Amino acid sequence: MGLNIIVLAKQVPDTRNVGKDAMKADGTVNRAALPAIFNPEDLNALEQALRLKDKYPGTKVTLLTMGPGRAADIIREGLFRGADGGVLLTDRAFAGSDTLATSYALSCTIRAIKDYDLILAGRQAIDGDTAQVGPQVAEKLGLPQVTYCEEIYSAEKGKISLKRRLERGVETIECPMPAVVTINGSAAPCRPRNAKLVMKFKHAQTVTERQNRSEDYIDLTNDRPYLNIDEWSVDDIESDREKLGLSGSPTKVKKIENVVFQAKESRHIQANDEEIEELVKELIANHTLG
């Protein structure tokens, strides 16, 4: 039985490699100074989708992302790794969205897509660390949700079986489909690009990208429709504009502080039994151990 899987993905600034120019004077992220990347845990979610595709012939994996035009890059990245297609949700009406407005826009888009069995997403994005969008999408769609998933074992007979990684152990649970599942960063890393898929999809573009190409650009999408990345705007989904963008975002940032981490006192010991034993006794005495 083939599945229709939607993977929610986000293009984010690489906050793992923050330098001195990463923040602006007003405390906001200087996105121009940081490379834009595929959100790491969304890649974990993509890998779980691709594993289900490998296991169940006929499965279709579609990437859904909301962002500016350049966010089409991560859809292409998904195609290079094995996804079947993607939808870029882009419109100025979405600018300034917090998690509530983002999940509303995504849920409206998923309703417009209609045909889905499973929605996968990374646990959280590295530029916000809220872990709210996946659960909010599930709530707005009225679907069951499973968070902190580390591995999906099966998806058969209208239910999925999976493993959750929790703070004090693991759970193996079953959940009816359709459902929303968020994937931990501890799940299997995403497979690398496939050379044949790179050659096949390297010219995949949105309609806006094709329009902005030079006059001598040859549009191949009529002969190769798989090169078309769907680009949807606010007019393509049934939504209340008041719930989108800034007007639909109750989150307000009142204060931002730059925190500088400073090294604490360090102590060097020799790699011999005497000094190691002395250190262990000291740690036990001050209750760091035991």
Side-chain angles (χ1 to χ4, degrees):
M1 180 190 68
L3 303 168
N4 287 313
I5 303 174
I6 297 174
V7 178
L8 305 182
K10 185 179 182 183
Q11 188 182 58
V12 295
D14 189 1
T15 55
R16 298 171 301 180
N17 297 294
V18 174
K20 59 183 179 65
D21 298 323
M23 302 296 291
K24 297 180 182 178
D26 61 358
T28 58
V29 176
N30 182 8
R31 295 179 181 266
L34 295 170
I37 62 171
F38 203 121
N39 182 55
E41 290 189 346
D42 294 341
L43 278 173
N44 296 109
L46 176 59
E47 175 60 23
Q48 291 301 310
L50 295 176
R51 290 188 176 197
L52 291 174
K53 180 181 177 180
D54 294 339
K55 188 172 184 178
Y56 302 105
T59 292
K60 180 181 178 182
V61 177
T62 302
L63 286 163
L64 170 58
T65 186
M66 186 176 88
R70 66 179 183 177
D73 287 343
I74 66 169
I75 293 180
R76 279 185 286 272
E77 188 65 38
L79 295 172
F80 296 159
R81 296 170 188 253
D84 300 285
V87 176
L88 171 63
L89 187 61
T90 183
D91 197 300
R92 290 187 179 275
F94 303 129
S97 295
D98 66 0
T99 60
L100 194 66
T102 298
S103 61
Y104 175 69
L106 292 175
S107 62
C108 291
T109 306
I110 292 169
R111 285 196 184 94
I113 294 174
K114 296 179 181 178
D115 194 11
Y116 58 88
D117 299 295
L118 195 57
I119 301 168
L120 303 182
R123 177 178 59 100
Q124 63 185 30
I126 59 174
D127 63 344
D129 289 347
T130 63
Q132 294 174 351
V133 171
Q136 287 176 352
V137 167
E139 181 69 19
K140 288 177 170 61
L141 293 174
L143 298 177
Q145 60 176 290
V146 181
T147 55
Y148 302 109
C149 173
E150 194 170 61
E151 183 179 358
I152 299 177
Y153 296 130
S154 65
E156 299 173 346
K157 299 179 181 178
K159 63 184 178 182
I160 53 173
S161 174
L162 49 81
K163 178 176 76 173
R164 299 181 76 209
R165 171 67 61 178
L166 304 175
E167 184 177 357
R168 298 183 181 275
V170 296
E171 287 181 346
T172 299
I173 65 172
E174 290 184 346
C175 176
M177 292 191 295
V180 176
V181 179
T182 63
I183 310 296
N184 280 359
S186 58
C190 193
R191 62 196 65 185
R193 295 177 174 184
N194 179 288
K196 290 183 178 180
L197 293 177
V198 171
M199 295 302 295
K200 179 179 179 179
F201 290 109
K202 65 181 181 180
H203 296 299
Q205 293 182 324
T206 65
V207 62
T208 300
E209 289 177 316
R210 295 196 298 273
Q211 291 171 349
N212 291 335
R213 296 298 294 265
S214 59
E215 294 181 0
D216 58 351
Y217 169 69
I218 300 175
D219 189 353
L220 301 173
T221 54
N222 288 331
D223 297 327
R224 306 175 190 177
Y226 58 81
L227 293 179
N228 181 60
I229 297 175
D230 290 331
E231 181 179 344
W232 291 7
S233 69
V234 68
D235 296 325
D236 296 307
I237 59 175
E238 286 189 26
S239 60
D240 180 352
R241 286 178 178 262
E242 291 301 312
K243 296 181 179 179
L244 299 171
L246 283 174
S247 61
S249 301
T251 305
K252 307 299 178 187
V253 178
K254 293 190 175 182
K255 183 180 180 181
I256 297 176
E257 294 183 5
N258 291 326
V259 179
V260 179
F261 292 100
Q262 300 189 4
K264 296 182 179 180
E265 285 186 25
S266 61
R267 178 175 156 196
H268 297 277
I269 64 171
Q270 299 298 318
N272 58 61
D273 292 342
E274 184 179 343
E275 292 202 27
I276 292 175
E277 184 178 353
E278 182 182 344
L279 176 61
V280 171
K281 288 180 179 179
E282 182 181 329
L283 293 176
I284 292 174
N286 62 25
H287 301 292
T288 301
L289 296 177

